[in-house]
Amino acid sequence: MSDNYTTCELAVKNIVAGLTTYFETGSVTLGDFSPLDGGFDRVAVLSPGGFTSERGTMSSNLRGWTINIDIFQRFEGSADTYTTFKAMRAAIIDALDTARNLPAVGDVADVNVSARSEPSMVSKQGTNTLTHLVQALQVTIKQYVEVP
């Protein structure tokens, strides 16, 4: 039996990492926040979310995989931070909307992206120095999965 969630997660990571206007090599990760200290202006960190399951057909279930994406824009102290952040977020939304059935993954019925939270500022631990604008996104993938 294959790990369908991981296959979908990797496909989403590759889509986001492919937005090279916003993300440099190494700035899109699976659960690794260390690039925030690596000098990148923008970082995306994917992490596992919940899932749903419902009977699809006699031989498959319809799974709703959730992938969390925390997106970070380095705080530049000006309105440019917000402008760039909104453009980066729009690029992610557009790329996932374009890949609605994740062509690299089989039996995907739909892909949707939404915000889990409002954008907020974060500061360096132990200081009041603002470092990043961050927002938590949630990608939900509907996939038909074979039942053994």
Side-chain angles (χ1 to χ4, degrees), residues 33-137:
F33 288 87
S34 66
L36 289 170
D37 294 324
F40 295 108
D41 288 334
R42 285 163 294 283
V43 172
V45 180
L46 285 73
S47 61
F51 70 93
T52 60
S53 185
E54 57 188 84
R55 180 68 59 201
T57 67
M58 292 298 285
S59 62
S60 70
N61 284 342
L62 182 61
R63 294 275 159 73
W65 305 117
T66 300
I67 300 166
N68 300 313
I69 307 176
D70 293 313
I71 56 172
F72 297 85
Q73 166 66 48
R74 184 171 304 284
F75 182 64
E76 300 161 354
S78 70
D80 290 344
T81 299
Y82 298 99
T83 301
T84 305
F85 178 84
K86 290 185 294 184
M88 170 187 60
R89 183 179 63 182
I92 293 169
I93 293 167
D94 290 347
L96 291 169
D97 280 349
T98 301
R100 271 214 163 330
N101 65 350
L102 292 182
V105 179
D107 297 321
V108 171
D110 199 17
V111 176
N112 288 294
V113 61
S114 59
R116 288 187 2 244
S117 66
E118 299 295 324
S120 61
M121 296 299 296
V122 293
S123 59
K124 188 168 181 82
Q125 190 172 358
T127 72
N128 289 328
T129 305
L130 297 175
T131 59
H132 291 87
L133 178 60
V134 62
Q135 186 169 31
L137 304 181

